[in-house]
Amino acid sequence: MHKNTMRLIAFFMTMWFAMSGSQAWADDAQVQPAERTVIEDVGIDTLMPNESAREKNVVVIEKRPFSKAGRGEISVGLGTIASDIFVVYMPVTLRGGYHFKEWVSLELSASYMGCFSNETGENQTRAAGQHCMRFLTPSYDRLTGSQSSDTQLRGVKIKEYSVARVALAPVFSVFMGKFAVANRGIAHFDLNVAAGLGVQVVETPAKRQGGDISYHATFEGSLGIGMRFVFLDFVGLRLDFREYLFGRQNDKGLGTAAEFALSVSFLL
């Protein structure tokens, strides 16, 4: 009798464990990977013992506390174009764009690097003395000055200056991230690339003293890369590099200009 009782108890316990195991297996099979809840700020030790080794390697990608999608952006900044051996430009640039998604936007930019003067003539010093956003380099003075040993270089005249440009370009934010600022806050950033088309206005000095200065427009293309740092959900800094390719008016060839610009931006 005692043996039969023990056998009966063992039988029921075996059946109970078998049913419990099959039910746990069925419940686990019904949970799809997409339905699993991401657990944040917990250690691996808090996971259930029946979790597999693959499921314990949890990778969490946190979203930004703000979004650029559906928002406009305005930025203003100052840059430098020092790719010309004779002239250095300091363009003031205003950019306005709209973010269709977090990673893609369309941007319209306008830069001014001309002179705030209506004087006419062959005056090369307009670059330095007439309130211009450009200036002649020491190389120009050294090579073309009266002290130059090359008489041909003394007669060199700059045939055209860049005055302004307007460009439209899509911008793609390919990488995004964040970092701590002095252990007091989080700054978000993105690395972006841009390619666009635009129009450049150039100034042609008069060929003789007292003559009129003429202005012409030429199409140009641009390629660029930039970094955007957002410290709050609406304000930040931008560092942009742009390479411009355009047609020269006088030399009848292709010209290039490389621009670095630092801007303050506002998300609307």
Side-chain angles (χ1 to χ4, degrees), residues 11 143 201:
F11 173 77
L143 296 176
V201 177

Side-chain angles (χ1 to χ4, degrees), residues 2 8 18 105 141 145 164 168 192:
H2 178 71
L8 185 62
S105 63
D141 296 331
L168 182 66
N192 56 77

Side-chain angles (χ1 to χ4, degrees), residues 66-73 97-100 233-234 267-268:
F66 65 94
S67 175
K68 301 194 302 291
R71 303 175 66 179
E73 181 181 7
Y98 181 81
H99 296 270
F100 296 97
D233 64 344
F234 68 96
L267 291 170
L268 306 179

Side-chain angles (χ1 to χ4, degrees), residues 90-113:
M90 301 291 290
V92 176
T93 303
L94 177 65
R95 306 180 193 272
Y98 181 81
H99 296 270
F100 296 97
K101 295 185 177 181
E102 194 71 20
W103 58 274
V104 60
S105 63
L106 186 64
E107 185 175 82
L108 178 66
S109 61
S111 301
Y112 182 78
M113 64 206 86

